[in-house]
């Protein structure tokens, strides 16, 4: 096993241990997002995100090393065995006023949490004990068909967070997926709003397009959907 593979294996075991600790304390907890998408695709995840019914202060009590990176929005980082893991409380979002973040959040259920997320392929939950994947949004079908589709109305999803416009391109390029027509149409419609996103956040997404698989296709998609100007 290579050092990279060993590191990924270690990160998974630690992530599973965090979920077990949350469950032992009586909290519902799952893997969510990109790591579940990777599991479904047969790829070993490099990072793990966790969602739970535990509130931020309860997460803080359970683990020795935590950082409140976004406690207002229910997000804590748990640092364990030299790795960092985002642990977020199930939530639903209030209105978005700045194309970036909600004005308020409401702590809710696992099902409500996935319906606030960006794309169906990122809206899957997984119980690591059984490896059962819980799909409320049609993400498994879209992974099978290699489709990028927003959860719900694409116009609403993109206007909640304009960075999702660029993220859709990044996922299509990196994964070699197609963007479904309704989502594609709303990317072009809202393309100019990407200018309202900070240079730092844009740089992160652009770097992921440039340095990973599908860089050429990423730039072609940005050109087709009026993002390059």
């Amino acid at each position: 096993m290579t050092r990279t593979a060993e590191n990924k294996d270690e990160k998974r075991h630690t992530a599973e241990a965090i979920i077990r600790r949350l469950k032992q304390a009586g909290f519902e907890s799952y893997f969510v997002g990109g790591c579940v998408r990777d599991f479904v695709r047969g790829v070993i995840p490099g990072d793990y995100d966790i969602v739970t019914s535990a509130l931020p202060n309860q997460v803080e009590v359970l683990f020795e090393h935590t950082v409140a990176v976004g406690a207002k929005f229910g997000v804590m980082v748990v640092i364990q065995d030299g790795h960092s893991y985002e642990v977020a409380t199930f939530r639903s979002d209030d209105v978005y006023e700045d194309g970036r973040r909600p004005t308020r959040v409401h702590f809710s259920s696992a099902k409500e949490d996935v319906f606030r997320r960006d794309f169906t392929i990122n809206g899957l939950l997984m119980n690591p004990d059984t490896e059962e994947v819980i799909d409320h949004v049609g993400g498994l079908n879209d992974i099978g068909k290699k489709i990028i589709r927003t959860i719900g109305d694409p116009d609403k999803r993109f206007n909640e967070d304009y960075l999702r416009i660029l993220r859709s391109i990044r996922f299509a390029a990196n994964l070699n997926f197609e963007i479904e027509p309704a989502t594609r149409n709303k990317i072009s419609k809202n393309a100019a709003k990407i200018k309202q996103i900070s240079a730092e956040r844009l740089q992160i997404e652009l770097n992921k397009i440039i340095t990973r698989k599908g860089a050429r296709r990423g730039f072609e998609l940005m050109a087709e959907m009026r993002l390059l100007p």
Side-chain angles (χ1 to χ4, degrees):
M1 183 182 291
T2 66
R3 179 59 192 151
T4 300
E6 287 176 358
N7 187 58
K8 287 184 176 181
D9 196 46
E10 179 183 307
K11 288 184 79 171
R12 175 175 179 174
H13 287 314
T14 303
E16 289 173 345
I18 291 171
I19 285 187
R20 281 196 298 272
R21 180 76 184 91
L22 287 162
K23 286 183 173 181
Q24 287 165 1
F27 300 110
E28 187 180 1
S29 304
Y30 304 98
F31 288 146
V32 70
C35 62
V36 184
R37 182 190 70 233
D38 287 347
F39 276 127
V40 172
R41 295 174 55 243
V43 176
I44 300 173
D47 293 292
Y48 294 84
D49 288 337
I50 295 165
V51 283
T52 179
S53 59
L55 298 174
N57 64 311
Q58 294 169 323
V59 173
E60 188 174 22
V61 168
L62 285 173
F63 299 97
E64 185 175 357
H65 300 294
T66 61
V67 180
V69 295
K72 176 183 176 182
F73 298 100
V75 182
M76 300 289 288
V77 168
V78 173
I79 302 168
Q80 197 155 302
D81 297 337
H83 302 296
S84 298
Y85 301 87
E86 189 174 286
V87 179
T89 305
F90 301 144
R91 78 182 212 217
S92 59
D93 295 339
D94 221 329
V95 295
Y96 286 69
E97 292 183 342
D98 60 359
R100 182 178 178 187
R101 58 170 67 94
T103 51
R104 293 178 57 197
V105 302
H106 308 277
F107 297 134
S108 58
S109 66
K111 185 173 182 178
E112 286 177 290
D113 187 89
V114 296
F115 275 102
R116 71 171 179 83
R117 294 176 179 269
D118 52 8
F119 305 105
T120 60
I121 62 170
N122 296 331
L124 301 171
L125 302 166
M126 178 178 164
N127 179 349
D129 293 331
T130 62
E131 297 195 352
E132 176 194 8
V133 175
I134 302 166
D135 181 9
H136 297 297
V137 296
L140 287 172
N141 185 60
D142 284 347
I143 290 173
K145 293 182 176 180
K146 297 187 175 183
I147 289 173
I148 304 297
R149 183 195 313 273
T150 59
I151 295 172
D153 178 15
D155 202 44
K156 179 181 178 182
R157 287 284 89 90
F158 291 135
N159 279 283
E160 287 172 342
D161 183 351
Y162 303 141
L163 193 64
R164 289 172 175 169
I165 296 168
L166 192 56
R167 280 169 60 83
S168 64
I169 301 292
R170 193 245 295 180
F171 288 126
N174 291 168
L175 300 174
N176 195 26
F177 280 21
E178 295 296 328
I179 303 173
E180 64 90 25
T183 300
R184 190 182 181 99
N185 177 267
K186 297 305 181 182
I187 293 170
S188 296
K189 175 190 171 186
N190 291 290
K193 295 174 182 176
I194 200 69
K195 292 185 289 186
Q196 298 180 47
I197 296 295
S198 71
E200 292 79 10
R201 294 182 83 210
L202 290 175
Q203 182 186 29
I204 291 169
E205 292 299 320
L206 288 168
N207 282 347
K208 290 176 180 179
I209 293 173
I210 293 167
T211 62
R212 298 180 181 180
K213 292 180 179 178
R216 179 190 178 97
R217 181 161 180 260
F219 273 88
E220 290 172 345
L221 288 170
M222 283 192 284
E224 288 171 19
M225 285 177 269
R226 307 173 190 169
L227 282 166
L228 281 184

Short mmCIF file of all heavy atoms in Angstrom, two decimals, residues 164-203:
data_model
loop_
_atom_site.label_atom_id
_atom_site.label_comp_id
_atom_site.label_asym_id
_atom_site.label_seq_id
_atom_site.Cartn_x
_atom_site.Cartn_y
_atom_site.Cartn_z
N ARG A 164 -21.89 28.34 -6.68
CA ARG A 164 -22.39 27.07 -7.21
C ARG A 164 -22.35 27.06 -8.74
O ARG A 164 -22.27 25.99 -9.35
CB ARG A 164 -23.81 26.82 -6.71
CG ARG A 164 -23.87 26.47 -5.23
CD ARG A 164 -25.30 26.42 -4.73
NE ARG A 164 -25.35 25.96 -3.34
CZ ARG A 164 -26.44 26.01 -2.58
NH1 ARG A 164 -27.57 26.51 -3.08
NH2 ARG A 164 -26.40 25.57 -1.34
N ILE A 165 -22.43 28.23 -9.36
CA ILE A 165 -22.34 28.32 -10.82
C ILE A 165 -21.02 27.74 -11.29
O ILE A 165 -20.98 26.94 -12.23
CB ILE A 165 -22.48 29.80 -11.27
CG1 ILE A 165 -23.86 30.35 -10.90
CG2 ILE A 165 -22.20 29.94 -12.76
CD1 ILE A 165 -23.97 31.87 -11.03
N LEU A 166 -19.94 28.13 -10.63
CA LEU A 166 -18.61 27.64 -11.01
C LEU A 166 -18.39 26.21 -10.52
O LEU A 166 -17.73 25.41 -11.19
CB LEU A 166 -17.53 28.56 -10.45
CG LEU A 166 -16.10 28.36 -10.97
CD1 LEU A 166 -16.06 28.47 -12.50
CD2 LEU A 166 -15.17 29.39 -10.35
N ARG A 167 -18.96 25.87 -9.38
CA ARG A 167 -18.82 24.50 -8.85
C ARG A 167 -19.44 23.48 -9.81
O ARG A 167 -18.93 22.37 -9.96
CB ARG A 167 -19.47 24.40 -7.47
CG ARG A 167 -18.61 24.95 -6.35
CD ARG A 167 -19.40 25.08 -5.05
NE ARG A 167 -19.94 23.82 -4.56
CZ ARG A 167 -19.26 22.93 -3.85
NH1 ARG A 167 -17.99 23.15 -3.55
NH2 ARG A 167 -19.83 21.82 -3.42
N SER A 168 -20.53 23.86 -10.45
CA SER A 168 -21.16 22.93 -11.40
C SER A 168 -20.22 22.61 -12.55
O SER A 168 -20.13 21.45 -12.99
CB SER A 168 -22.46 23.53 -11.94
OG SER A 168 -22.21 24.71 -12.69
N ILE A 169 -19.48 23.62 -13.02
CA ILE A 169 -18.49 23.41 -14.07
C ILE A 169 -17.37 22.52 -13.56
O ILE A 169 -16.91 21.60 -14.26
CB ILE A 169 -17.89 24.77 -14.52
CG1 ILE A 169 -18.99 25.71 -15.04
CG2 ILE A 169 -16.80 24.55 -15.56
CD1 ILE A 169 -19.64 25.30 -16.31
N ARG A 170 -16.92 22.79 -12.35
CA ARG A 170 -15.82 22.01 -11.77
C ARG A 170 -16.19 20.53 -11.64
O ARG A 170 -15.41 19.65 -12.02
CB ARG A 170 -15.46 22.58 -10.40
CG ARG A 170 -14.13 22.03 -9.87
CD ARG A 170 -14.30 21.20 -8.63
NE ARG A 170 -14.78 21.97 -7.51
CZ ARG A 170 -14.99 21.42 -6.31
NH1 ARG A 170 -14.78 20.13 -6.12
NH2 ARG A 170 -15.45 22.14 -5.31
N PHE A 171 -17.38 20.25 -11.15
CA PHE A 171 -17.79 18.84 -11.01
C PHE A 171 -17.92 18.17 -12.37
O PHE A 171 -17.49 17.03 -12.56
CB PHE A 171 -19.10 18.73 -10.23
CG PHE A 171 -18.97 19.02 -8.77
CD1 PHE A 171 -19.77 19.97 -8.16
CD2 PHE A 171 -18.03 18.36 -7.99
CE1 PHE A 171 -19.65 20.25 -6.81
CE2 PHE A 171 -17.89 18.63 -6.63
CZ PHE A 171 -18.70 19.57 -6.04
N ALA A 172 -18.51 18.87 -13.33
CA ALA A 172 -18.65 18.30 -14.68
C ALA A 172 -17.29 18.00 -15.29
O ALA A 172 -17.10 16.94 -15.89
CB ALA A 172 -19.44 19.26 -15.57
N ALA A 173 -16.33 18.92 -15.12
CA ALA A 173 -15.00 18.73 -15.69
C ALA A 173 -14.22 17.65 -14.97
O ALA A 173 -13.67 16.73 -15.60
CB ALA A 173 -14.23 20.05 -15.65
N ASN A 174 -14.17 17.72 -13.64
CA ASN A 174 -13.38 16.76 -12.86
C ASN A 174 -13.91 15.34 -12.95
O ASN A 174 -13.14 14.38 -12.99
CB ASN A 174 -13.35 17.18 -11.39
CG ASN A 174 -12.54 18.43 -11.10
OD1 ASN A 174 -12.62 18.98 -10.01
ND2 ASN A 174 -11.76 18.93 -12.06
N LEU A 175 -15.25 15.20 -12.99
CA LEU A 175 -15.87 13.87 -12.97
C LEU A 175 -16.20 13.36 -14.37
O LEU A 175 -16.59 12.21 -14.53
CB LEU A 175 -17.15 13.91 -12.13
CG LEU A 175 -16.99 14.31 -10.66
CD1 LEU A 175 -18.37 14.44 -10.01
CD2 LEU A 175 -16.14 13.30 -9.90
N ASN A 176 -16.06 14.24 -15.38
CA ASN A 176 -16.46 13.91 -16.75
C ASN A 176 -17.95 13.57 -16.81
O ASN A 176 -18.37 12.60 -17.41
CB ASN A 176 -15.63 12.74 -17.32
CG ASN A 176 -15.76 12.64 -18.82
OD1 ASN A 176 -16.04 13.62 -19.51
ND2 ASN A 176 -15.58 11.45 -19.35
N PHE A 177 -18.75 14.41 -16.16
CA PHE A 177 -20.21 14.30 -16.15
C PHE A 177 -20.78 15.37 -17.09
O PHE A 177 -20.11 16.34 -17.43
CB PHE A 177 -20.77 14.52 -14.75
CG PHE A 177 -20.69 13.33 -13.83
CD1 PHE A 177 -19.78 12.30 -14.04
CD2 PHE A 177 -21.51 13.24 -12.71
CE1 PHE A 177 -19.70 11.21 -13.20
CE2 PHE A 177 -21.43 12.16 -11.84
CZ PHE A 177 -20.53 11.14 -12.08
N GLU A 178 -22.04 15.18 -17.48
CA GLU A 178 -22.75 16.18 -18.27
C GLU A 178 -23.65 17.01 -17.36
O GLU A 178 -24.22 16.49 -16.39
CB GLU A 178 -23.62 15.49 -19.35
CG GLU A 178 -22.83 14.74 -20.39
CD GLU A 178 -21.94 15.65 -21.24
OE1 GLU A 178 -22.34 16.82 -21.46
OE2 GLU A 178 -20.87 15.19 -21.66
N ILE A 179 -23.80 18.29 -17.68
CA ILE A 179 -24.72 19.15 -16.94
C ILE A 179 -26.08 19.06 -17.62
O ILE A 179 -26.21 19.31 -18.81
CB ILE A 179 -24.22 20.60 -16.91
CG1 ILE A 179 -22.82 20.67 -16.29
CG2 ILE A 179 -25.20 21.49 -16.14
CD1 ILE A 179 -22.17 22.05 -16.38
N GLU A 180 -27.10 18.70 -16.86
CA GLU A 180 -28.42 18.49 -17.48
C GLU A 180 -28.99 19.84 -17.95
O GLU A 180 -28.62 20.90 -17.46
CB GLU A 180 -29.36 17.75 -16.52
CG GLU A 180 -29.72 18.49 -15.26
CD GLU A 180 -30.96 19.34 -15.44
OE1 GLU A 180 -31.79 19.04 -16.31
OE2 GLU A 180 -31.11 20.33 -14.69
N PRO A 181 -29.88 19.81 -18.97
CA PRO A 181 -30.29 21.04 -19.67
C PRO A 181 -30.82 22.17 -18.79
O PRO A 181 -30.44 23.33 -18.99
CB PRO A 181 -31.35 20.53 -20.64
CG PRO A 181 -30.96 19.12 -20.93
CD PRO A 181 -30.42 18.60 -19.63
N ALA A 182 -31.71 21.89 -17.83
CA ALA A 182 -32.28 22.97 -17.02
C ALA A 182 -31.20 23.64 -16.17
O ALA A 182 -31.17 24.87 -16.04
CB ALA A 182 -33.40 22.43 -16.13
N THR A 183 -30.31 22.83 -15.62
CA THR A 183 -29.21 23.38 -14.82
C THR A 183 -28.28 24.19 -15.70
O THR A 183 -27.85 25.30 -15.34
CB THR A 183 -28.44 22.23 -14.13
OG1 THR A 183 -29.33 21.50 -13.28
CG2 THR A 183 -27.28 22.76 -13.30
N ARG A 184 -27.98 23.66 -16.87
CA ARG A 184 -27.09 24.34 -17.82
C ARG A 184 -27.66 25.70 -18.23
O ARG A 184 -26.95 26.70 -18.29
CB ARG A 184 -26.90 23.44 -19.04
CG ARG A 184 -25.83 23.88 -20.02
CD ARG A 184 -25.79 22.92 -21.20
NE ARG A 184 -24.77 23.31 -22.14
CZ ARG A 184 -23.56 22.77 -22.22
NH1 ARG A 184 -23.22 21.81 -21.38
NH2 ARG A 184 -22.69 23.19 -23.11
N ASN A 185 -28.95 25.73 -18.48
CA ASN A 185 -29.62 26.96 -18.90
C ASN A 185 -29.50 28.05 -17.84
O ASN A 185 -29.25 29.22 -18.15
CB ASN A 185 -31.09 26.67 -19.21
CG ASN A 185 -31.87 27.91 -19.57
OD1 ASN A 185 -32.48 28.54 -18.71
ND2 ASN A 185 -31.87 28.26 -20.84
N LYS A 186 -29.67 27.66 -16.58
CA LYS A 186 -29.63 28.65 -15.50
C LYS A 186 -28.19 29.08 -15.17
O LYS A 186 -27.98 30.17 -14.64
CB LYS A 186 -30.31 28.09 -14.24
CG LYS A 186 -31.79 27.80 -14.44
CD LYS A 186 -32.56 29.02 -14.95
CE LYS A 186 -34.05 28.69 -15.13
NZ LYS A 186 -34.81 29.84 -15.67
N ILE A 187 -27.21 28.25 -15.50
CA ILE A 187 -25.81 28.68 -15.37
C ILE A 187 -25.56 29.86 -16.30
O ILE A 187 -25.03 30.90 -15.91
CB ILE A 187 -24.84 27.53 -15.68
CG1 ILE A 187 -24.93 26.43 -14.63
CG2 ILE A 187 -23.39 28.05 -15.76
CD1 ILE A 187 -24.19 25.16 -15.00
N SER A 188 -25.97 29.70 -17.57
CA SER A 188 -25.78 30.77 -18.55
C SER A 188 -26.55 32.03 -18.15
O SER A 188 -26.05 33.15 -18.26
CB SER A 188 -26.24 30.31 -19.93
OG SER A 188 -25.44 29.23 -20.39
N LYS A 189 -27.78 31.85 -17.67
CA LYS A 189 -28.61 32.98 -17.28
C LYS A 189 -27.97 33.79 -16.14
O LYS A 189 -28.04 35.02 -16.12
CB LYS A 189 -29.99 32.47 -16.84
CG LYS A 189 -30.89 33.59 -16.31
CD LYS A 189 -32.14 33.03 -15.65
CE LYS A 189 -32.90 34.14 -14.93
NZ LYS A 189 -34.05 33.62 -14.16
N ASN A 190 -27.37 33.08 -15.18
CA ASN A 190 -26.84 33.74 -13.99
C ASN A 190 -25.34 33.96 -14.02
O ASN A 190 -24.75 34.41 -13.02
CB ASN A 190 -27.20 32.90 -12.76
CG ASN A 190 -28.69 32.90 -12.45
OD1 ASN A 190 -29.25 33.90 -12.04
ND2 ASN A 190 -29.32 31.76 -12.69
N ALA A 191 -24.70 33.69 -15.15
CA ALA A 191 -23.24 33.70 -15.23
C ALA A 191 -22.60 34.99 -14.73
O ALA A 191 -21.58 34.97 -14.02
CB ALA A 191 -22.79 33.41 -16.66
N ALA A 192 -23.17 36.14 -15.07
CA ALA A 192 -22.57 37.43 -14.71
C ALA A 192 -22.49 37.63 -13.20
O ALA A 192 -21.65 38.39 -12.71
CB ALA A 192 -23.35 38.57 -15.35
N LYS A 193 -23.32 36.93 -12.44
CA LYS A 193 -23.35 37.10 -10.99
C LYS A 193 -22.10 36.52 -10.32
O LYS A 193 -21.83 36.84 -9.16
CB LYS A 193 -24.61 36.45 -10.40
CG LYS A 193 -25.88 37.14 -10.88
CD LYS A 193 -27.13 36.40 -10.41
CE LYS A 193 -28.39 37.08 -10.93
NZ LYS A 193 -29.62 36.34 -10.58
N ILE A 194 -21.34 35.71 -11.04
CA ILE A 194 -20.11 35.14 -10.47
C ILE A 194 -19.13 36.23 -10.08
O ILE A 194 -18.28 36.05 -9.20
CB ILE A 194 -19.47 34.12 -11.46
CG1 ILE A 194 -18.51 33.18 -10.72
CG2 ILE A 194 -18.78 34.82 -12.60
CD1 ILE A 194 -19.18 32.21 -9.81
N LYS A 195 -19.25 37.41 -10.71
CA LYS A 195 -18.35 38.53 -10.40
C LYS A 195 -18.55 39.05 -8.98
O LYS A 195 -17.70 39.77 -8.46
CB LYS A 195 -18.56 39.66 -11.40
CG LYS A 195 -18.10 39.32 -12.82
CD LYS A 195 -18.21 40.50 -13.76
CE LYS A 195 -19.65 40.83 -14.08
NZ LYS A 195 -19.76 41.89 -15.11
N GLN A 196 -19.66 38.68 -8.36
CA GLN A 196 -19.92 39.13 -6.99
C GLN A 196 -19.24 38.26 -5.94
O GLN A 196 -19.27 38.57 -4.75
CB GLN A 196 -21.43 39.17 -6.74
CG GLN A 196 -22.16 40.16 -7.66
CD GLN A 196 -23.64 40.19 -7.40
OE1 GLN A 196 -24.08 40.27 -6.25
NE2 GLN A 196 -24.44 40.13 -8.47
N ILE A 197 -18.63 37.16 -6.39
CA ILE A 197 -17.91 36.26 -5.48
C ILE A 197 -16.48 36.76 -5.30
O ILE A 197 -15.86 37.24 -6.25
CB ILE A 197 -17.93 34.82 -6.04
CG1 ILE A 197 -19.37 34.29 -6.08
CG2 ILE A 197 -17.03 33.91 -5.23
CD1 ILE A 197 -20.02 34.12 -4.72
N SER A 198 -15.95 36.63 -4.11
CA SER A 198 -14.60 37.12 -3.82
C SER A 198 -13.55 36.37 -4.64
O SER A 198 -13.74 35.19 -5.00
CB SER A 198 -14.28 36.95 -2.34
OG SER A 198 -14.10 35.58 -2.02
N ALA A 199 -12.45 37.06 -4.92
CA ALA A 199 -11.36 36.45 -5.69
C ALA A 199 -10.82 35.21 -5.01
O ALA A 199 -10.44 34.24 -5.68
CB ALA A 199 -10.24 37.48 -5.90
N GLU A 200 -10.79 35.22 -3.68
CA GLU A 200 -10.25 34.07 -2.94
C GLU A 200 -11.10 32.82 -3.15
O GLU A 200 -10.55 31.73 -3.38
CB GLU A 200 -10.17 34.40 -1.44
CG GLU A 200 -9.14 35.45 -1.07
CD GLU A 200 -9.62 36.88 -1.34
OE1 GLU A 200 -10.82 37.08 -1.64
OE2 GLU A 200 -8.76 37.79 -1.25
N ARG A 201 -12.40 32.98 -3.10
CA ARG A 201 -13.28 31.81 -3.29
C ARG A 201 -13.24 31.34 -4.75
O ARG A 201 -13.26 30.14 -5.02
CB ARG A 201 -14.72 32.16 -2.89
CG ARG A 201 -14.90 32.44 -1.41
CD ARG A 201 -16.35 32.72 -1.08
NE ARG A 201 -17.12 31.50 -0.91
CZ ARG A 201 -18.42 31.37 -1.18
NH1 ARG A 201 -19.09 32.40 -1.68
NH2 ARG A 201 -19.05 30.24 -0.98
N LEU A 202 -13.17 32.28 -5.68
CA LEU A 202 -13.05 31.90 -7.09
C LEU A 202 -11.74 31.15 -7.35
O LEU A 202 -11.72 30.17 -8.10
CB LEU A 202 -13.11 33.14 -7.98
CG LEU A 202 -14.46 33.85 -8.08
CD1 LEU A 202 -14.33 35.12 -8.90
CD2 LEU A 202 -15.52 32.94 -8.70
N GLN A 203 -10.68 31.61 -6.71
CA GLN A 203 -9.37 30.98 -6.93
C GLN A 203 -9.39 29.51 -6.53
O GLN A 203 -8.83 28.65 -7.23
CB GLN A 203 -8.29 31.72 -6.14
CG GLN A 203 -6.89 31.15 -6.34
CD GLN A 203 -5.86 31.81 -5.45
OE1 GLN A 203 -6.18 32.26 -4.36
NE2 GLN A 203 -4.64 31.86 -5.91
#
